[in-house]
Amino acid sequence: MLDYSHEDWKTRAANLKLQGQAFIDGKFVDAASGKTFDCINPATDEVLVQVAEGDEADINRAVEAGRAAFEDGRWSRMAPGDRKEILLKLANLIRANLEEMALLDSLDMGKLVTDAVTVDAPGSAHFFQWYAEAIDKIYDEVAPTAPGDLALVSRVPLGVVGAVTPWNFPLDMATWKGAAALAAGNSVVLKPAEQSPLSALRLAELAAEAGVPDGVFNVVPGFGVTAGRALGLHMDVDCLAFTGSTVIGKMFMQYSGQSNLKQVWPETGGKSPNLVFADCEDLDAAADMAAFGIFFNQGEVCSANSRLYVERSIKDAFVEKLIARANNMQPGDPLDPASKMGAIVDAKQTQGIMRFVEEGKKSANLVAGGEQVTVGGKGCFIQPTIFDDVTHDNPLARDEIFGPVLSVIPFDSEDEAVAMANDSIYGLAASVWTDNLSRACRVSDKLMVGTVSVNTVDALSAQTPFGGMKQSGFGRDLSLHSLEKYTALKTTWIKYKA
């Protein structure tokens, strides 16, 4: 990790040159309407830069550029090895600009710069490298046929992929969508969240520097009701990849039916359970990771372990451990390496979290946090908050809060814990803590989620798919499986003289 002080990071932040224009067809441009919106630092309430407010006209321009690039084959029919080299160069350019990419996300949405520079930005470089290396190692198929017939089954790019990404991991989510879609040979039109467009715009610039041809990777900032809706309804977009709320994910499914039946791959909400059994020997490790699982990134994580089910015999002792950890994770300036939590993305999200907290104070036992605070009299900050003895039907245990709020629920049996964990409209992730191998396997088999992490939380890698079940959506990011949503199976049948 870079050994920078608070002052070092502030100096580097002050020297950043921020780009707010859209990136369409290989160049930065103003919105067709000329409109802009404020990009605000949630830790200081300061306007960082004016950002182009893209709308339908700008989405049309970007899709047209993407379609032209796809049709003439400048990327879609480029030799796989050549695409690979360009994306490898992009991965290295991200590494060369690691501090800048980390600062952009930290300033834009309030995450700790130390997390951004050690997790998010290096992760983005890693995922681009991983997909680049996969490009020339994926083979097509030859189907078994009778003599005189040759049946080839190949995976082909779809064309123009629309991507709508959230504000909680701006660079990483742009990468999770963009790296796989580009590796498969598609053109991409990315609509980043309006709260956090800066790293996506810089990523587009680095992609061009790496050699991604004009028109292949476009970024249109704007609002969901205009730019996002236009992308979802566009008749020339072949696929829409989305990460965000379940409500908006359902809207994109509707947009597909109202337009051209484009593929829609939603990765939506979550309310992930964390089950801690009394036969877990290392309760300190479990408490460390339980705190990490809800307070990392201010709890603004779709797979955050926000429901904590603890076996009743150890519940009180375990909660004491959690309280101590929460008290040591108070929010501070995201640019200060000493801070343990950053800022909430904006005032609207802060208000929404605090509504849950204030209602929770009436129905559950608040044992840590529960207050909105400022740093230096400014910003959107909320203390790490723990509610104990939450009833299973309480909104604290049912609804996605998307903030640093943990609900602790006791259980008496394995079957009860599994039943409560599965009793949710969501099914993104879960964690299980036990030293009993049979229980670990048995409970993991029964949990209806996309990822079960045993004796850890939120495990993921480039090699494993990430996504959920039920109303957490069915889209999958990461792994070779994610390439399936950006490609189509094509059969070519050849008759020949045997």
Side-chain angles (χ1 to χ4, degrees):
M1 176 180 162
L2 297 172
D3 188 22
Y4 288 163
S5 69
H6 189 191
E7 289 303 318
D8 290 334
W9 281 117
K10 288 199 294 185
T11 298
R12 283 165 171 76
N15 290 331
L16 282 179
K17 295 181 179 179
L18 303 179
Q19 174 58 255
Q21 291 178 296
F23 191 85
I24 299 175
D25 203 14
K27 55 184 177 295
F28 285 108
V29 295
D30 293 331
S33 67
K35 293 182 180 179
T36 61
F37 63 91
D38 292 343
C39 185
I40 298 173
N41 182 340
T44 64
D45 304 324
E46 296 171 346
V47 176
L48 295 167
V49 66
Q50 296 286 316
V51 176
E53 186 182 327
D55 57 22
E56 184 177 0
D58 305 287
I59 292 294
N60 289 342
R61 284 195 292 169
V63 173
E64 183 179 354
R67 177 60 61 190
F70 182 78
E71 294 295 342
D72 68 24
R74 70 187 78 163
W75 182 254
S76 59
R77 291 195 289 274
M78 183 183 289
D82 293 339
R83 287 208 308 272
K84 167 185 170 179
E85 290 303 317
I86 290 173
L87 292 187
L88 285 175
K89 185 175 180 181
L90 175 53
N92 287 330
L93 283 171
I94 294 171
R95 293 188 180 101
N97 294 274
L98 210 63
E99 298 170 33
E100 179 186 9
M101 303 306 282
L103 279 167
L104 290 174
D105 275 2
S106 180
L107 295 174
D108 224 359
M109 58 75 56
K111 70 167 64 241
L112 295 178
V113 72
T114 50
D115 286 341
V117 82
T118 57
V119 179
D120 298 53
S124 179
H126 170 70
F127 292 127
F128 267 109
Q129 178 177 339
W130 196 86
Y131 280 105
E133 292 288 2
I135 288 174
D136 58 2
K137 299 174 183 66
I138 299 173
Y139 292 82
D140 293 327
E141 305 168 10
V142 178
T145 57
D149 291 309
L150 176 63
L152 309 176
V153 181
S154 53
R155 281 204 168 272
V156 297
L158 294 173
V160 178
V161 171
V164 178
T165 53
W167 45 257
N168 57 335
F169 292 93
L171 179 60
D172 271 0
M173 293 297 99
T175 295
W176 284 20
K177 312 297 187 193
L182 291 172
N186 297 285
S187 299
V188 174
V189 178
L190 170 65
K191 205 294 283 185
E194 59 267 26
Q195 297 90 339
S196 57
L198 300 184
S199 62
L201 292 167
R202 182 63 174 130
L203 179 64
E205 188 173 25
L206 293 178
E209 184 179 342
V212 175
D214 293 352
V216 172
F217 187 61
N218 308 275
V219 178
V220 181
F223 296 97
V225 294
T226 49
R229 182 175 184 274
L231 197 57
L233 288 170
H234 205 290
M235 295 295 291
D236 205 25
V237 171
D238 301 287
C239 170
L240 195 292
F242 171 76
T243 294
S245 73
T246 296
V247 170
I248 303 302
K250 290 178 179 180
M251 291 176 64
F252 278 109
M253 298 287 287
Q254 293 173 26
Y255 293 155
S256 171
Q258 294 166 15
S259 56
N260 61 341
L261 282 180
K262 61 177 65 63
Q263 296 183 36
V264 175
W265 296 99
E267 192 268 283
T268 50
K271 190 70 176 177
S272 297
N274 185 3
L275 284 62
V276 181
F277 290 90
D279 59 14
C280 171
E281 187 171 312
D282 193 348
L283 290 180
D284 284 322
D288 286 341
M289 295 306 288
F292 173 84
I294 183 58
F295 301 136
F296 172 69
N297 207 47
Q298 302 76 250
E300 297 167 322
V301 182
C302 57
S303 53
N305 289 177
S306 54
R307 291 186 286 154
L308 178 63
Y309 297 97
V310 188
E311 196 160 354
R312 195 178 300 274
S313 63
I314 62 168
K315 195 266 292 181
D316 289 344
F318 195 76
V319 169
E320 287 301 314
K321 293 178 184 291
L322 284 173
I323 292 171
R325 285 157 176 78
N327 289 338
N328 288 326
M329 296 182 71
Q330 296 304 305
D333 185 346
L335 298 183
D336 186 350
S339 297
K340 303 302 182 184
M341 276 190 7
I344 304 300
V345 66
D346 62 13
K348 180 181 178 181
Q349 182 67 16
T350 303
Q351 292 163 6
I353 296 168
M354 289 307 300
R355 280 195 294 270
F356 277 103
V357 171
E358 294 304 323
E359 287 299 313
K361 291 177 181 178
K362 304 173 185 176
S363 59
N365 181 20
L366 177 68
V367 295
E371 299 298 330
Q372 180 179 347
V373 296
T374 60
V375 174
K378 297 180 179 179
C380 302
F381 298 89
I382 294 176
Q383 295 174 329
T385 298
I386 301 174
F387 286 97
D388 192 12
D389 294 318
V390 177
T391 59
H392 187 58
D393 60 353
N394 192 308
L396 291 171
R398 310 296 295 179
D399 298 337
E400 185 177 35
I401 300 173
F402 221 69
V405 181
L406 179 65
S407 299
V408 182
I409 304 169
F411 68 85
D412 295 300
S413 69
E414 179 181 306
D415 287 344
E416 181 189 15
V418 171
M420 288 193 294
N422 282 336
D423 183 20
S424 172
I425 65 171
Y426 300 113
L428 186 54
S431 290
V432 178
W433 291 83
T434 175
D435 287 349
N436 184 314
L437 180 59
S438 293
R439 169 171 279 161
C441 294
R442 185 170 60 243
V443 172
S444 296
D445 286 346
K446 293 177 181 178
L447 292 172
M448 297 298 294
V449 298
T451 298
V452 180
S453 302
V454 177
N455 294 334
T456 187
V457 300
D458 216 13
L460 61 83
S461 75
Q463 293 82 5
T464 54
F466 180 89
M469 300 178 182
K470 298 189 277 188
Q471 292 191 48
S472 290
F474 49 84
R476 289 295 185 274
D477 288 313
L478 306 182
S479 83
L480 294 178
H481 292 288
S482 69
L483 295 174
E484 296 166 6
K485 67 187 181 188
Y486 300 124
T487 56
L489 289 174
K490 181 176 183 178
T491 298
T492 303
W493 195 293
I494 302 170
K495 300 287 288 187
Y496 67 94
K497 293 181 180 180

